[in-house]
Amino acid sequence: MAVIARLKGSLIDEMIQHAREEAPNECCGLLASKDGDIIAIHRAKNAEASPYRFSIDAKEQLRIQDEMDEAGTDWAGFYHSHTGSPAVPSPTDIRQMSTFFGPPYVHFVIGIKDPENPEVRVWYIEDGDKIEHEYETID
Ligand SMILES: [Zn+2]
């Protein structure tokens, strides 16, 4: 495992908060970085509105990427939540999103199956396989 993401600690709380608000459906969003550090999250609508899967409408994704351009940030990856299973990318996640989960894009999965003990894990998907890595918080 290597550190593949450095992010503001408050963003962890923001992602968990988003997951809790959308539960039992999955939440999702994009991560924005500046100078290599993830400094903001952009919430997106889960077009599937499902507890088992997520997708982001292509138009919404482009709109968020435009917002990042305007803010002078770069698109660094995604996050989504798992509300009934561990914070591990599912076979569906891997199939649907593999091109966007791989390097350089990082992918956070927020597990809130146990609401009192949220799980936050970061992944790359490479060659159809999921590889767990580490993140570091900064402030
Ligand atoms: Zn998933």
Side-chain angles (χ1 to χ4, degrees), residues 26 52-54 80-82 88-90 93 109:
E26 294 189 0
Y52 306 110
R53 56 201 295 149
F54 80 99
H80 79 284
S81 65
H82 281 181
V88 177
S90 68
D93 291 336
V109 185

Side-chain angles (χ1 to χ4, degrees), residues 82-118:
H82 281 181
T83 55
S85 60
V88 177
S90 68
T92 306
D93 291 336
I94 294 169
R95 204 167 47 242
Q96 284 196 321
M97 305 289 288
S98 57
T99 52
F100 292 122
F101 279 15
Y105 301 111
V106 301
H107 195 86
F108 279 85
V109 185
I110 314 299
I112 56 161
K113 187 179 181 187
D114 177 355
E116 300 307 312
N117 294 293

Side-chain angles (χ1 to χ4, degrees), residues 3-9 11 31-41 68 72-77 106 108 135-139:
V3 173
I4 58 167
R6 282 163 41 95
L7 76 170
K8 279 166 60 177
L11 299 182
L31 304 165
S33 67
K34 194 161 201 167
D35 302 325
D37 294 334
I38 297 168
I39 58 163
I41 67 167
M68 289 184 193
T73 56
D74 299 310
W75 177 30
V106 301
F108 279 85
Y135 62 88
E136 238 172 45
T137 54
I138 50 167
D139 268 309

Side-chain angles (χ1 to χ4, degrees), residues 12-13 20 29-30 33-38 56 59 64 67 69 71 78 84 88 97 106 114-115 120 128 130:
I12 300 283
D13 299 329
R20 286 181 170 145
L30 275 66
S33 67
K34 194 161 201 167
D35 302 325
D37 294 334
I38 297 168
I56 301 172
K59 275 186 195 157
I64 294 172
E67 284 177 13
D69 281 346
F78 286 99
V88 177
M97 305 289 288
V106 301
D114 177 355
V120 178
K130 56 187 186 293

